[in-house]
């Protein structure tokens, strides 16, 4: 009688556990289907493909005119970044590091910098130069970092291609990883001129586009950053003035000037701020 009673009691518990397990598995299955659908409908899955395609195609394309100041022009942006980082002695993270041009520049100026690069080929090329680079996503790296471990963070590359939600997420992680008074630098392409060195396929597959400086200023203020400053690259006139020989050329030059004011915009800009 005792054995039958115990068996009946245990069987009831087993049935309850089995029912709970079945319901949980069914709920998780529905959740998995929903998450997969959301991932497919979002652009995040394209970001790695974009990096891979962009790096493969970069060597096949002609570089921009050296007179134009793009994000890769260290002759102009290098000294500007050094000026912002003046006095920084702690750890500096550069993400994305690419093949290591900016990272190498900072290391040559005795800054304690390391890089994060998601694309393996670019990461290996940077490593071959003797640079400290880690392979992975910038957001994933910042997420696992402890609080207040970086004295400065330089963001470039990812700020051009991340979706709007991931850029906002990037600022949250940056705020956590930076020390009090830590410096955040954003080196970005200007939206109106972005993609001049990209193919049509690259531009179409990009999950996001660069923000305007004003957008970064607003986001940074909302994320508890202070003293947001912006530095625009020099503008290269779209229309060149003619030698004024008569009234006609003078009128043309006046019109060129008006058009330049409307259509001539910088290729890149720098945003820098500090944590509160």
């Amino acid at each position: 009688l005792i054995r039958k009673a115990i068996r009946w009691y245990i069987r009831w518990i087993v049935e309850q556990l089995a029912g709970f397990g079945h319901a949980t598995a069914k709920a998780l299955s529905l959740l998995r289907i929903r998450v997969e659908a959301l991932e497919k409908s979002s652009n995040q899955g394209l970001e790695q493909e974009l990096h891979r395609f962009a790096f493969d195609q970069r060597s096949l394309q002609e570089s921009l005119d050296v007179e134009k100041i793009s994000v890769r022009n260290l002759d102009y942006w290098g000294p500007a970044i050094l000026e912002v980082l003046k006095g920084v002695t702690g750890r500096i993270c550069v993400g994305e590091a690419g093949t290591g041009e900016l990272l190498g520049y900072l290391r040559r100026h005795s800054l304690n910098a390391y890089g994060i690069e998601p694309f393996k080929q670019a990461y290996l090329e940077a490593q071959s130069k003797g640079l400290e680079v880690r392979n992975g996503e910038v957001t994933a790296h910042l997420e696992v970092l402890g609080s207040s471990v970086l004295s400065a963070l330089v963001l470039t590359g990812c700020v051009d291609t991340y979706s709007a939600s991931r850029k906002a997420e990037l600022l949250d992680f940056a705020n956590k990883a930076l020390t009090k008074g830590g410096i955040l630098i954003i080196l970005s392409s200007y939206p109106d001129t972005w993609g001049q060195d990209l193919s049509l396929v690259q531009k179409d597959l990009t999950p996001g586009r660069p923000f305007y400086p004003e957008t970064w200023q607003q986001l940074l203020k909302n994320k508890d950053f202070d003293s947001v400053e912006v530095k625009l690259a020099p503008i290269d006139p779209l229309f060149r003035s003619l030698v004024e020989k008569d009234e006609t050329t003078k009128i043309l030059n006046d019109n060129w000037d008006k058009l330049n004011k409307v259509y001539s915009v910088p290729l890149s800009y720098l945003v820098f701020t500090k944590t509160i």
Side-chain angles (χ1 to χ4, degrees), residues 3 19 41 44 47 62 123 178 184-185 219 256 258 264:
R3 185 171 63 249
S41 63
Q44 292 188 16
E47 292 182 12
E62 295 181 0
Y123 150 75
L178 287 167
L184 173 63
I185 297 175
L219 277 177
W256 291 155
K258 293 177 182 177
S264 293

Side-chain angles (χ1 to χ4, degrees), residues 5-19:
I6 293 175
R7 185 183 303 167
W8 173 84
Y9 179 68
I10 292 177
R11 183 172 60 187
W12 181 82
I13 294 176
V14 170
E15 288 176 353
Q16 294 298 312
L17 289 174

Side-chain angles (χ1 to χ4, degrees), residues 192-213:
D192 294 342
T193 52
W194 175 80
Q196 291 186 7
D197 58 339
L198 300 179
S199 71
L200 296 176
V201 176
Q202 286 172 271
K203 287 188 282 189
D204 280 344
L205 292 180
T206 308
R209 299 288 192 272
F211 282 162
Y212 285 99

